[in-house]
Amino acid sequence: MYTGVVDTRERLIESTRTLLWERGYVATSPKLIQQAADAGQGSMYHHFTGKEQLALAAIERTAEEMRRQIDALLDGPGTAVERIATYLRREREVLKGCPIGRLTQDPDVMASPTLREPVEGMFAWLRGRLADVVSGGIAAGELSPGVEPGATATAIVAVLQGGYVLARAAADTAPFDQAIEGILALLRSQGIAR
Amino acid sequence: MYTGVVDTRERLIESTRTLLWERGYVATSPKLIQQAADAGQGSMYHHFTGKEQLALAAIERTAEEMRRQIDALLDGPGTAVERIATYLRREREVLKGCPIGRLTQDPDVMASPTLREPVEGMFAWLRGRLADVVSGGIAAGELSPGVEPGATATAIVAVLQGGYVLARAAADTAPFDQAIEGILALLRSQGIAR
DNA sequence: GTCTATACAGCGATAGAC
DNA sequence: GTCTATCGCTGTATAGAC
């Protein structure tokens, strides 16, 4: 249950964020949200038109927060590969999975253009962001010009998302760490000795 | 709806396989299964104790089938990297996602040790199977001895699973293909010229 | 083996009082 | 803004006839 000292509308959004992360959209009922937010039926339907609109607010906030965190890490110091490594290795609640990525497996989210839009936007942004870092690494002479920025960036994001899948399947964070180290080793071998 | 000419029990399992793939476990109701299998309530509860046992039969069959297909591809001709490329590039219903991998995002599947077991087993098997192929490639002098088989194999499986996530997010198979080509390019650069 | 009837809880939303 | 009452529908399963 969300216990921050904030107003009801805020508690509803934060509780929904948590529940979407833990259970996804189909498996999260308005009742569950209300209990977690310590709000009544009336409150929820006063502040939002329904489950979908509330979920949209929650998803958009999660996406915004994630963008800020990723920007901070990728804008940090170090070479391109070092910054990518920092991003991939940052602390995560691995067994809970990615709060945005998991929504791609939810039938009701995928069926709703409204809810799918922020999910699509988040990954399009992330792939582009990482492709720019890879391009920068090539321009700086850190990475071989033979490296294709777009494909490499997409593979990196995929390893991350797939790492969550493997960790959850194993109920163990080890496969996630192993996948990350696997792609980083491959990336490092693309470096140009200087 | 499943329309093969087989008995009711069989139709129930096949319909469940399809629905689990398309909607996952929580979002698949007994009613939906019965309609797809063209079977009544009574039939379903005669052949199976309930939704969970039926899902288990469906998941186990999907996993077995997948193992057979993967074995056939990885046992084929070509170098280690070529066989991995063949496996990664085989035709897939990319936008539907992985029928096993998607279950890791289902709260009820993860909460049930019974249902989680075949999912865990499938990925443990696959990671080991690919690690063996990588090891073979090193032993054959095709890949650099610096390549770590376990981490590399796990990264490959992760790219696949993450590729599905990105494709579904984009409602487009392009990110899947891009991720695959990205990791293959990195893998190929690990080759030892002969 | 398959059918219909029934059960009871939960879902997602609305109504109207306070 | 929040509460309680109510609604029609679905989820999952059981009972008992055929």
Side-chain angles (χ1 to χ4, degrees):
Chain A
M1 183 187 310
Y2 183 77
T3 53
V5 182
V6 286
D7 65 22
T8 302
R9 184 192 156 84
E10 187 60 21
R11 290 203 312 278
L12 284 165
I13 294 175
E14 287 301 316
S15 296
T16 303
R17 291 219 297 154
T18 303
L19 284 164
L20 287 182
W21 193 2
E22 289 173 349
R23 306 188 46 79
Y25 183 77
V26 275
T28 295
S29 66
K31 188 177 192 176
L32 228 45
I33 294 170
Q34 291 148 24
Q35 289 170 345
D38 196 23
Q41 290 265 87
S43 294
M44 186 186 128
Y45 286 100
H46 169 74
H47 291 290
F48 300 93
T49 61
K51 176 181 168 178
E52 187 176 24
Q53 201 203 12
L54 175 48
L56 179 61
I59 293 170
E60 285 179 336
R61 183 177 293 184
T62 296
E64 281 161 28
E65 193 178 276
M66 197 172 288
R67 270 181 240 241
R68 272 200 308 280
Q69 290 174 359
I70 292 171
D71 267 333
L73 290 171
L74 292 183
D75 286 337
T79 64
V81 175
E82 282 167 1
R83 280 175 289 144
I84 290 170
T86 300
Y87 163 55
L88 292 179
R89 288 181 179 142
R90 79 164 162 177
E91 231 183 9
R92 294 164 192 277
E93 297 193 64
V94 174
L95 292 182
K96 289 180 69 178
C98 174
I100 300 294
R102 83 158 299 153
L103 299 175
T104 61
Q105 304 303 324
D106 198 300
D108 287 9
V109 170
M110 289 296 100
S112 158
T114 306
L115 295 180
R116 215 178 60 72
E117 196 276 327
V119 175
E120 174 166 2
M122 176 67 206
F123 284 116
W125 173 83
L126 179 56
R127 289 167 56 208
R129 192 74 177 72
L130 278 171
D132 288 345
V133 174
V134 172
S135 293
I138 296 170
E142 295 159 10
L143 286 170
S144 161
V147 174
E148 215 283 283
T152 307
T154 301
I156 291 168
V157 180
V159 165
L160 202 56
Q161 293 298 315
Y164 287 123
V165 170
L166 298 183
R168 285 176 64 88
D172 181 1
T173 61
F176 180 91
D177 297 331
Q178 217 186 359
I180 297 287
E181 296 311 315
I183 188 119
L184 283 177
L186 291 173
L187 260 185
R188 272 191 232 98
S189 74
Q190 305 304 304
I192 293 175
R194 284 176 298 170
Chain B
M1 185 187 310
Y2 183 79
T3 52
V5 183
V6 285
D7 65 22
T8 303
R9 184 191 155 85
E10 187 61 21
R11 290 202 311 279
L12 283 165
I13 294 176
E14 288 300 319
S15 296
T16 303
R17 291 221 294 155
T18 302
L19 285 164
L20 287 183
W21 193 2
E22 289 173 349
R23 307 186 46 78
Y25 184 77
V26 275
T28 296
S29 66
K31 189 177 191 176
L32 227 46
I33 294 169
Q34 290 149 25
Q35 288 171 346
D38 196 24
Q41 289 266 88
S43 294
M44 185 186 128
Y45 286 100
H46 169 73
H47 291 290
F48 300 94
T49 61
K51 176 180 168 178
E52 186 176 25
Q53 200 203 16
L54 175 48
L56 179 61
I59 293 169
E60 284 179 337
R61 182 176 293 184
T62 296
E64 280 162 27
E65 194 177 275
M66 198 173 287
R67 270 181 240 243
R68 272 200 309 279
Q69 290 174 358
I70 293 170
D71 267 334
L73 291 171
L74 293 183
D75 286 339
T79 64
V81 174
E82 282 167 2
R83 281 175 288 143
I84 289 171
T86 300
Y87 163 55
L88 292 179
R89 288 179 180 145
R90 77 164 165 179
E91 232 182 9
R92 294 164 191 275
E93 298 193 63
V94 174
L95 293 182
K96 289 181 68 179
C98 174
I100 299 295
R102 81 159 297 152
L103 299 176
T104 61
Q105 305 303 324
D106 197 299
D108 287 10
V109 170
M110 290 296 100
S112 159
T114 306
L115 295 180
R116 215 178 60 73
E117 196 277 327
V119 175
E120 174 167 3
M122 177 67 206
F123 285 115
W125 173 84
L126 179 55
R127 288 167 56 209
R129 191 75 178 73
L130 278 171
D132 288 345
V133 174
V134 173
S135 294
I138 296 169
E142 295 160 9
L143 285 171
S144 161
V147 174
E148 214 285 282
T152 307
T154 300
I156 291 167
V157 181
V159 166
L160 202 57
Q161 293 298 315
Y164 286 123
V165 170
L166 298 184
R168 285 175 63 88
D172 180 0
T173 61
F176 180 91
D177 296 332
Q178 218 186 357
I180 298 286
E181 295 311 315
I183 187 110
L184 284 177
L186 292 175
L187 260 185
R188 272 191 232 96
S189 73
Q190 306 303 304
I192 294 174
R194 285 174 300 170

